[in-house]
Amino acid sequence: MVSDMIPPKRVCKQRLREAKLQAVDYLILLLAGACLGSVTNISDDNLGAAGYTFTIIAVSLLCKIAALRTFSLDKLQYWRESASGMKSLAYFLAKDMIDHFNTAIKPVVYLSMFYFFTNPRSSFTDNYTVLLCLVYCVTGIAYVLAIFFEPGSAQLWSVLLPVVSTLVATRNTNSVVLKNISNLCYPKWALQAFVIATAERYEGVWLITRCGALLKSGYNLHDWSLCLSILILMGVVSRIIAFFGMLIFRKK
């Protein structure tokens, strides 16, 4: 009888521990939104690009580190259960489906503070839509890191990738190689979507400022949907890579 009670207790403790971790994740996002929102100056000269750059780095970093727990903590459990006949695709989709809740909620948590402090020209809905696609993208990348690397190395990559990719994506250069590399960096498309959402709110005499800023950045006002589609595509491709990586490591 006592032995029958051990598994439920273990599951309850695990769920409680995960709930505490989720609460900490949300609290950190709130603090990040408040801190960045209070120090960020949304300038009309660059359509708020400087402020949104820090947002992309912060949200990417925090969401990646949190998403690492989805697969990095249960590798041994997956190997045991898959050996007993569990379907790998069902396991992967179930894990990903559970994470969709965080994908939808975390942008709201961050924007609830960041948007209040900065009060940008773009609407809350536009900012949420961009962050939703961004979080979906970086969550898929985190799956790849969690499956292909050990937990310590995966965390280091989760910190390094947002910073380096953002620096590459925001660098003004005439090099064709760097431009092609920046096209593969998700911060470029997220930043472009943020800037376009802000630019669409400019009217009257501000149209000259908008045109100048867009021309300097090389952005097109009609590419907002394209930017979001690329972010979603990167998230889907990352999940496919993560799934096949999970199968490869299981066979080893």
Side-chain angles (χ1 to χ4, degrees), residues 67-73 75 141-151 154 158:
L68 291 177
R69 297 195 298 265
T70 302
F71 288 100
S72 62
L73 299 180
K75 285 183 178 180
I141 297 175
Y143 293 167
V144 176
L145 298 177
I147 291 173
F148 281 85
F149 297 99
E150 294 298 323
S158 297

Side-chain angles (χ1 to χ4, degrees), residues 3-252:
S3 61
D4 293 338
M5 295 297 295
I6 293 177
K9 287 184 178 180
R10 187 183 301 118
V11 172
C12 291
K13 290 181 180 179
Q14 182 180 4
R15 295 303 181 188
L16 181 60
R17 184 165 58 250
E18 291 177 357
K20 291 180 179 179
L21 290 174
Q22 294 292 344
V24 172
D25 291 341
Y26 293 149
L27 179 60
I28 294 175
L29 275 173
L30 278 174
L31 293 176
C35 293
L36 290 179
S38 60
V39 301
T40 297
N41 182 20
I42 302 296
S43 174
D44 291 322
D45 296 334
N46 55 15
L47 303 179
Y52 284 124
T53 300
F54 296 116
T55 290
I56 293 171
I57 294 176
V59 173
S60 299
L61 192 152
L62 294 175
C63 291
K64 275 184 182 178
I65 292 179
L68 291 177
R69 297 195 298 265
T70 302
F71 288 100
S72 62
L73 299 180
D74 297 332
K75 285 183 178 180
L76 293 177
Q77 179 183 355
Y78 164 71
W79 291 336
R80 288 196 301 265
E81 294 182 358
S82 62
S84 62
M86 183 189 67
K87 298 294 184 181
S88 298
L89 181 59
Y91 173 83
F92 184 88
L93 292 178
K95 285 279 191 178
D96 186 36
M97 187 64 66
I98 293 174
D99 262 1
H100 286 344
F101 175 79
N102 288 324
T103 302
I105 296 299
K106 285 185 175 181
V108 177
V109 174
Y110 179 83
L111 285 175
S112 63
M113 301 301 292
F114 180 82
Y115 193 88
F116 171 78
F117 280 102
T118 57
N119 192 25
R121 289 178 178 265
S122 55
S123 66
F124 186 92
T125 303
D126 289 341
N127 282 269
Y128 172 78
T129 303
V130 177
L131 278 184
L132 179 67
C133 297
L134 175 63
V135 174
Y136 180 80
C137 174
V138 299
T139 301
I141 297 175
Y143 293 167
V144 176
L145 298 177
I147 291 173
F148 281 85
F149 297 99
E150 294 298 323
S153 300
Q155 289 182 357
L156 291 176
W157 277 108
S158 297
V159 174
L160 184 64
L161 279 180
V163 178
V164 174
S165 58
T166 302
L167 291 176
V168 173
T170 56
R171 181 180 177 86
N172 293 325
T173 179
N174 295 324
S175 174
V176 178
V177 176
L178 286 179
K179 286 184 178 180
N180 291 331
I181 294 176
S182 66
N183 289 332
L184 300 176
C185 298
Y186 66 87
K188 173 184 177 178
W189 305 105
L191 180 60
Q192 185 171 344
F194 276 124
V195 171
I196 292 174
T198 302
E200 289 180 343
R201 297 290 175 170
Y202 282 76
E203 298 177 349
V205 296
W206 289 103
L207 290 177
I208 299 177
T209 302
R210 183 184 77 176
C211 293
L214 290 175
L215 181 63
K216 182 179 179 181
S217 302
Y219 296 158
N220 191 322
L221 195 63
H222 304 289
D223 286 346
W224 193 68
S225 298
L226 174 64
C227 296
L228 300 183
S229 300
I230 292 176
L231 289 174
I232 295 174
L233 178 62
M234 288 183 175
V236 173
V237 172
S238 299
R239 283 164 170 79
I240 294 174
I241 295 174
F243 173 69
F244 282 104
M246 189 174 66
L247 295 179
I248 293 172
F249 281 102
R250 183 194 65 177
K251 292 180 180 179
K252 290 182 178 181

